[in-house]
């Protein structure tokens, strides 16, 4: 399976997100990654559901919402309503992750669970039958432009092994510090979706950067 590339608009121009989305619309990616930070689980505050709702009519791409919030149970219904196609939340902030996954899926949205770099894959083993995807953070969440933490490849390899052994079909997404070099290591470990912010949006030609990560 060829790896999918998901550009993160966190590295886009915050004063002109409509133009960022329209420029991404011109590329061949299927997925746009949207980093929702709430100021508590991570310090920055980025986008709310209102922004996603107003961007929705401007794009046919899959909207992949990554919730970095303290109260996913509050934001999940908002982003379902705003038109997200994929919603993931951190296991580290969730009181009832199994329930939230079911809630997302029952709305016809793909459901993902997120692991911080310091969290063992073992923590989500009992959720793997419920998830459409696992998002493995390869930096500590909060900021773009950080360096990839190689140790997370162990989690990815473990997840890929369980997926095979238990005949499951969840996708593995990796997020943070993805460049041409780290992308190759991720692909080898079993990753299906590569998120990249600075590695695409800070480059002159986004399509060229996308091609380089994919190939
Ligand atoms: C970080 C975000 C990432 C971020 C990645 O908390 O979850 O999606 O945009 O940025 P890069 O690709 O620059 O590391
Ligand atoms: Zn993200």
């Amino acid at each position: 399976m060829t790896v999918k590339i998901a550009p993160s608009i966190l590295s886009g121009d915050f004063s002109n997100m409509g133009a960022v989305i329209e420029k991404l619309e011109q590329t061949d990616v299927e997925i746009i990654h949207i980093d929702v930070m709430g100021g508590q689980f991570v310090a920055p505050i980025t986008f709310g559901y209102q922004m996603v709702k107003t961007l929705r009519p401007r794009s046919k791409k899959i909207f992949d919402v990554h919730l970095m919030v303290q109260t996913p149970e509050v934001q999940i219904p908002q982003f379902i309503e705003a038109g997200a196609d994929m919603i993931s939340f951190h296991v580290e902030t969730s009181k009832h992750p199994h329930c939230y996954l079911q809630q997302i899926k029952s709305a016809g949205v793909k459901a993902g669970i997120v692991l911080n770099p310091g969290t063992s894959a073992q923590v989500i083993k009992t959720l793997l039958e419920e998830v459409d995807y696992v998002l493995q953070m390869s930096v500590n969440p909060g900021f773009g432009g950080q360096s990839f933490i190689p140790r997370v490849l162990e989690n990815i390899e473990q997840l890929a092994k369980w997926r095979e052994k238990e005949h499951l079909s969840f996708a593995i997404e990796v997020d943070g510090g993805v460049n041409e070099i780290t992308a190759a290591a991720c692909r080898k470990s079993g990753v299906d979706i590569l998120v990249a912010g600075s590695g695409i949006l800070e480059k002159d030609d986004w399509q060229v950067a996308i091609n380089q990560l994919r190939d």
Side-chain angles (χ1 to χ4, degrees):
M1 201 178 98
T2 45
V3 75
K4 292 193 170 112
I5 308 297
S8 164
I9 60 169
L10 184 67
S11 295
D13 177 357
F14 272 47
S15 73
N16 204 357
M17 274 304 168
V20 172
I21 289 290
E22 274 158 18
K23 195 170 162 192
L24 284 172
E25 205 61 16
Q26 306 306 312
T27 70
D28 68 1
V29 297
E30 287 169 50
I31 305 172
I32 295 177
H33 186 80
I34 300 174
D35 286 303
V36 174
M37 302 187 187
Q40 288 179 310
F41 176 57
V42 294
I45 298 175
T46 56
F47 327 119
Y49 73 96
Q50 299 98 326
M51 193 191 83
V52 171
K53 200 171 178 172
T54 58
L55 292 176
R56 183 67 282 182
R58 298 197 188 203
S59 173
K60 292 192 174 60
K61 311 276 190 198
I62 293 167
F63 278 7
D64 166 24
V65 171
H66 172 194
L67 294 178
M68 284 161 274
V69 298
Q70 198 58 47
T71 54
E73 66 276 20
V74 175
Q75 278 78 30
I76 285 166
Q78 298 177 341
F79 284 93
I80 289 172
E81 214 260 318
D85 304 291
M86 300 166 64
I87 299 178
S88 62
F89 57 87
H90 279 254
V91 70
E92 297 87 2
T93 64
S94 304
K95 293 187 202 87
H96 304 290
H98 192 277
C99 168
Y100 308 156
L101 291 167
Q102 289 184 326
Q103 187 187 356
I104 296 169
K105 290 196 300 181
S106 69
V109 175
K110 300 273 184 226
I113 191 89
V114 192
L115 292 172
N116 268 341
T119 304
S120 163
Q122 196 71 41
V123 172
I124 60 159
K125 195 168 182 218
T126 50
L127 297 171
L128 292 179
E129 270 143 36
E130 284 302 323
V131 297
D132 293 307
Y133 61 106
V134 176
L135 173 48
Q136 172 66 53
M137 289 306 298
S138 38
V139 297
N140 285 297
F143 304 93
Q146 304 180 74
S147 300
F148 187 90
I149 299 167
R151 191 74 196 250
V152 304
L153 293 170
E154 284 179 24
N155 264 1
I156 295 168
E157 282 158 17
Q158 179 62 259
L159 289 164
K161 267 187 210 151
W162 286 333
R163 178 170 61 182
E164 200 186 327
K165 193 166 164 237
E166 296 177 30
H167 308 290
L168 297 170
S169 58
F170 61 86
I172 304 175
E173 182 174 28
V174 73
D175 183 6
V178 170
N179 58 34
E180 289 105 281
I181 296 156
T182 56
C186 289
R187 282 206 306 261
K188 237 171 90 184
S189 306
V191 167
D192 309 287
I193 306 167
L194 291 166
V195 175
S198 52
I200 297 172
L201 277 74
E202 287 177 13
K203 299 286 168 68
D204 291 332
D205 189 326
W206 293 1
Q207 186 63 61
V208 168
I210 290 161
N211 294 345
Q212 279 167 352
L213 290 177
R214 194 186 284 132
D215 306 327

